[in-house]
Amino acid sequence: NAEYGKQWYQRRVREMYVDMINQVAINLSVCVVAVFVVSFVLLNFNFMAAVIITTTVLMITVNMLGMMYLLDININPVSLVNLVMSVGISVEFCSHITRSFSHSRLPGRVDRAKEALAKTGSSVLSGIFMTKIIGISVLAFAKSQIFEIYYFKMYVCIVALGMLHGLIFLPVFLT
């Protein structure tokens, strides 16, 4: 009976990890579609702004998968949850800049991007520092490997990639 329980457990764990790639694809696809729909509605049905935000978030997510590979972080239920959260956190980096850009009344796209960065860039940067960096820094001292790998390393990557894309790539993309 104990041997049957052990085999059953091993089979379930194996099935979970075999199905994990499909779950990653499904969950991230649903998240990206949700980002587009919510961005479209909240930015006054501005299709291009929603496309730009969604594209930037998608790029951050793909880069996050690349960082997971470079840092040798396996795809498992914990990293899947972090990937889904990275989509939500990435929206924060992109939406404020894009909204400010789309509401600007300046004539040129370059001037509008400059104004968007001047108006909201500092708020986004201070929000990153105050809420993300300070909160994550506590995890750097964690003794548990799950906190070190799946939370500290992944969150640092999420914040760094989101900040780089939101404050450097996105304004260029908007112009």
Side-chain angles (χ1 to χ4, degrees):
N1 228 356
E3 186 63 32
Y4 174 76
K6 182 179 176 183
Q7 288 173 351
W8 180 86
Y9 176 76
Q10 288 173 341
R11 191 170 41 254
R12 294 295 171 246
V13 170
R14 196 173 323 114
E15 287 173 2
M16 178 180 69
Y17 282 97
V18 167
D19 192 45
M20 191 56 56
I21 299 300
N22 292 334
Q23 288 299 316
V24 168
I26 290 168
N27 285 312
L28 292 180
S29 298
V30 168
C31 288
V32 169
V33 169
V35 165
F36 176 79
V37 170
V38 171
S39 297
F40 182 68
V41 170
L42 292 180
L43 290 172
N44 298 327
F45 303 99
N46 186 336
F47 181 77
M48 281 311 296
V51 167
I52 288 171
I53 289 173
T54 305
T55 303
T56 307
V57 168
L58 192 58
M59 290 175 60
I60 294 169
T61 305
V62 169
N63 287 326
M64 190 61 208
L65 288 166
M67 288 303 297
M68 286 175 61
Y69 175 77
L70 291 175
L71 295 172
D72 199 30
I73 299 174
N74 297 324
I75 293 182
N76 58 37
V78 177
S79 62
L80 172 60
V81 169
N82 285 336
L83 281 171
V84 170
M85 286 184 359
S86 76
V87 172
I89 292 170
S90 299
V91 172
E92 180 183 355
F93 297 121
C94 304
S95 62
H96 300 295
I97 301 286
T98 305
R99 183 183 183 283
S100 183
F101 177 86
S102 65
H103 283 75
S104 174
R105 298 193 189 277
L106 293 176
R109 295 179 74 78
V110 173
D111 292 331
R112 290 168 58 194
K114 285 180 184 177
E115 183 184 44
L117 272 178
K119 276 186 171 179
T120 57
S122 60
S123 298
V124 170
L125 190 61
S126 66
I128 292 167
F129 181 74
M130 297 303 285
T131 61
K132 308 284 187 290
I133 300 295
I134 293 174
I136 293 170
S137 63
V138 175
L139 295 174
F141 304 106
K143 302 277 189 237
S144 172
Q145 196 172 24
I146 192 167
F147 285 115
E148 178 188 339
I149 294 171
Y150 293 105
Y151 292 103
F152 178 69
K153 286 182 180 178
M154 285 188 76
Y155 277 47
V156 166
C157 290
I158 292 166
V159 170
L161 290 170
M163 185 174 66
L164 289 173
H165 282 79
L167 296 176
I168 296 172
F169 171 77
L170 181 61
V172 174
F173 192 34
L174 288 169
T175 58

